[in-house]
Amino acid sequence: MDNPIPAIEILGLKKTYGELSAVNEVHLSVGRGEIFGLLGPNGAGKTTLLMMLATLLKPTSGDARVNGYSIISQPSHVRQSIGMVFQDPSSDELLSGYENLKLHALMYDVQWKSIDHRINNVMRLVDLEHRKHDKVKTYSGGMRRRMEIARGLLHQPAVLFLDEPTLGLDPQTREHIWKYIESLARETGMTIVLTTHYMEEAEKLCQRVAIIDYGKIIALDTTQNLKNRLAGDVVTLRGKLLEIDALRGLPFVRKIELQDGRIQITIENAGKNLKSLLLAAGEIEEVQVRSSDLNDVFLHFTGKEIRETEGDTLEHIRVMTTAKQSR
Amino acid sequence: MKPTHVLKGIYALWYREFKVFLNEQSRILSAVFLPMFWYFIFGSGVGSITTTGINYQHFIFPGFLAMTIIFSSLFNGAYIVWDKKIDFLKEVLIAPLSRTTIFVGKVVGGMTDALIQAFILIIIGTVIGIPFTIVNTLYTVFILFIFTIGLVSLGLIIGSFLESPESFGLVSSFVVYPLFLLSGALYPLDTLPAWMKVLTRLDPATFAVDGLRNVILGISSMSLIHDLSVLIAFDISLILIGTWAFNRMKL
């Protein structure tokens, strides 16, 4: 694990379609064993970036190194180094899970004698061992995603890419997949790079996050730092004769807002500072504490909510153009 | 890339095609029954008004062997369009295999399907009295083998350019019917008007049918060497075009 070469090093990658730049001079480095998230709205350029790293798309300019190999001059080494779980299912549903995995093992030159053994191992990891001989068309959406995650692990890649790993899955299945990804990271220590436009997903899984919009990285830090740096925790108080001026004087208070009878206070590190805040506040009837989430962070950096902005025509056109031209 | 990895890659693609093939019995049935249908109905009907000196049904049997190969080989190209649609192609194209390896694997897979169907037809032919012997069966399989390489490649080339399975059906029938109807599968080549003679000589299937008729029935317009040389030239050019087509294919 003490490999000094970063798992991924992106050196000014750029992809333009005519006037439109889908990915604009991105620089980024991802360390070994890291779970890294690319967070951004649809059409932000996340998938384009991922496809370039996976050598499926040629960059307009720039280069990147994956597991030390250049995506421009050593694509087949890069391919051997990565596992990819695509946004849309990419398995053959007429075959069984086992057959899909065997096909994959052969294409990645896994030694004959270890193929079955490895298939069993990865299928066990995603809890599909008992279904491995069933046709994929009998799997649920969540099972199929798990099978494809298992498939991505089969050749023991240095980096696993997950493109929107829980897109289109129901909330329960989503949590299930998260659990598998977490245990996978724990058990294998593998570098995982995932794209998502779900805040909870990035927050739950990723150690570091790059917020990407219009093809540019606009923020890059650990999820915790991003939140600390920005909003902190939000405490809402209700009560009589609250000592607002005293509260303003506290060093950890960032922002105080009055809203119909309540005070909303943004503070640093509620775990440590809540007690001092409450002592200073006076007579309190009700307290609510919520930690700020990535949504607040995203809002700050991009000036918009991350959820798909339906009715936002410009946005829509941009997404459509990107989709069309990347064919 | 290591040679063993290349072979494994070819085997992987063959493995998949073969598994899918085994799952689609209806396709095997239709591929075998369509020519038999033609053979009996068309063969009996037209046979009653022609005098070729030889049983007309026997005369057209080699043509129907070629027909089976033409239909199933070209149809195989639809799979690649289908693979694009279900995104399975991404899984294949992202693997550390060269496009040439992928192309060759697909060709071998498609050939297996087509040759199995042809083999079933040979067995049926033996039953209905086509004079198959061990020697001419080996020759037959050899000619079909050579013919299939080019045809499967042609199907894959068409498939690599198209986006929807529907358009594949349309485009491929523009190729399949001229290939079949101009091949002399249904009529002798020697008594044709000059302009049609030219057209039949532009159709690679003509040489396959002529070669098959030569080895099965002992009648032909050209020598076997001539037939095989044309077919091999056809194969080589289509493999080259196919490799190029696969290398330019994007997701």
Side-chain angles (χ1 to χ4, degrees), chain B:
Chain B
M1 212 157 51
K2 286 183 299 180
T4 50
H5 188 176
V6 173
L7 289 176
K8 248 186 206 171
I10 293 172
Y11 172 72
L13 291 153
W14 175 84
Y15 172 84
R16 187 258 177 163
E17 301 280 327
F18 191 61
K19 289 280 176 182
V20 172
F21 176 74
L22 292 182
N23 276 320
E24 297 209 312
Q25 288 92 351
S26 61
R27 226 188 93 209
I28 311 176
L29 282 180
S30 75
V32 172
F33 276 99
L34 184 66
M36 291 320 290
F37 201 67
W38 273 74
Y39 175 78
F40 282 110
I41 297 175
F42 187 82
S44 311
V46 178
S48 67
I49 54 161
T50 52
T51 44
T52 37
I54 162 174
N55 178 340
Y56 183 67
Q57 283 184 322
H58 283 197
F59 178 78
I60 60 176
F61 186 83
F64 288 119
L65 271 179
M67 178 185 182
T68 310
I69 293 281
I70 293 171
F71 275 70
S72 86
S73 298
L74 273 160
F75 182 79
N76 195 268
Y79 272 122
I80 196 135
V81 188
W82 187 248
D83 286 354
K84 279 183 199 167
K85 199 168 174 136
I86 64 169
D87 278 324
F88 179 76
L89 194 64
K90 282 186 190 164
E91 154 75 0
V92 175
L93 293 187
I94 201 177
L97 295 173
S98 73
R99 294 294 176 89
T100 310
T101 307
I102 295 170
F103 177 72
V104 173
K106 285 258 172 204
V107 170
V108 177
M111 286 175 66
T112 310
D113 299 4
L115 290 173
I116 288 175
Q117 290 166 26
F119 207 71
I120 297 173
L121 219 62
I122 291 175
I123 294 170
I124 296 175
T126 314
V127 174
I128 59 177
I130 307 296
F132 276 118
T133 62
I134 293 174
V135 175
N136 72 18
T137 303
L138 288 177
Y139 272 115
T140 303
V141 171
F142 180 69
I143 294 170
L144 292 174
F145 182 88
I146 301 290
F147 187 37
T148 314
I149 297 174
L151 285 177
V152 173
S153 307
L154 182 58
L156 290 170
I157 293 165
I158 297 172
S160 77
F161 282 96
L162 299 177
E163 297 291 333
S164 78
E166 295 80 13
S167 63
F168 183 85
L170 200 68
V171 173
S172 66
S173 53
F174 273 110
V175 178
V176 163
Y177 286 102
L179 272 178
F180 173 59
L181 293 172
L182 287 173
S183 69
L186 303 173
Y187 45 80
L189 293 171
D190 299 331
T191 51
L192 294 173
W195 63 270
M196 188 143 165
K197 207 163 187 170
V198 173
L199 285 182
T200 58
R201 294 305 191 275
L202 292 173
D203 178 1
T206 301
F207 302 90
V209 172
D210 190 65
L212 289 169
R213 212 169 260 153
N214 190 343
V215 300
I216 301 170
L217 303 171
I219 46 177
S220 68
S221 311
M222 291 158 284
S223 72
L224 192 55
I225 297 293
H226 184 172
D227 291 333
L228 284 174
S229 315
V230 174
L231 290 177
I232 288 169
F234 171 65
D235 290 348
I236 292 172
S237 12
L238 282 161
I239 288 173
L240 293 177
I241 299 170
T243 312
W244 167 79
F246 264 53
N247 275 300
R248 65 164 281 290
M249 187 164 52
K250 291 195 182 73
L251 284 178

Side-chain angles (χ1 to χ4, degrees), chain A residues 54 56 76 79-80 84 86 88-90 92 94-95 99 102-104 106-112 135 151 326-327, chain B residues 2 4-5 8-9 11-13 15-16 19-20 23-24 86-88 90-97 99 163 251:
Chain A
L56 283 176
S76 70
R79 284 158 180 233
Q80 190 73 50
M84 171 66 101
F86 293 102
D88 305 304
S90 64
D92 191 333
L94 292 177
L95 303 184
E99 288 165 341
K102 178 164 177 186
L103 172 70
H104 184 93
L106 290 167
M107 291 197 295
Y108 284 79
D109 202 17
V110 174
Q111 283 198 320
W112 284 103
K135 294 230 161 71
R151 185 177 67 178
S326 61
R327 287 203 145 248
Chain B
K2 286 183 299 180
T4 50
H5 188 176
K8 248 186 206 171
Y11 172 72
L13 291 153
Y15 172 84
R16 187 258 177 163
K19 289 280 176 182
V20 172
N23 276 320
E24 297 209 312
I86 64 169
D87 278 324
F88 179 76
K90 282 186 190 164
E91 154 75 0
V92 175
L93 293 187
I94 201 177
L97 295 173
R99 294 294 176 89
E163 297 291 333
L251 284 178

Side-chain angles (χ1 to χ4, degrees), chain A residues 46-117:
Chain A
K46 295 168 292 174
T47 302
T48 309
L49 184 59
L50 215 56
M51 290 300 132
M52 286 194 284
L53 291 178
T55 74
L56 283 176
L57 199 61
K58 276 210 169 63
T60 309
S61 64
D63 195 356
R65 289 180 179 278
V66 178
N67 196 24
Y69 300 116
S70 157
I71 60 166
I72 309 285
S73 58
Q74 297 162 296
S76 70
H77 284 94
V78 171
R79 284 158 180 233
Q80 190 73 50
S81 306
I82 60 171
M84 171 66 101
V85 180
F86 293 102
Q87 211 172 95
D88 305 304
S90 64
S91 42
D92 191 333
E93 57 174 18
L94 292 177
L95 303 184
S96 68
Y98 172 84
E99 288 165 341
N100 268 293
L101 263 61
K102 178 164 177 186
L103 172 70
H104 184 93
L106 290 167
M107 291 197 295
Y108 284 79
D109 202 17
V110 174
Q111 283 198 320
W112 284 103
K113 56 176 192 279
S114 38
I115 289 178
D116 278 2
H117 176 67

Side-chain angles (χ1 to χ4, degrees), chain A residues 272-291:
Chain A
K272 195 173 129 216
N273 298 322
L274 185 62
K275 196 174 170 190
S276 343
L277 178 79
L278 295 181
L279 284 174
E283 202 175 323
I284 301 161
E285 285 170 6
E286 197 184 311
V287 184
Q288 274 177 6
V289 184
R290 114 184 133 78
S291 56

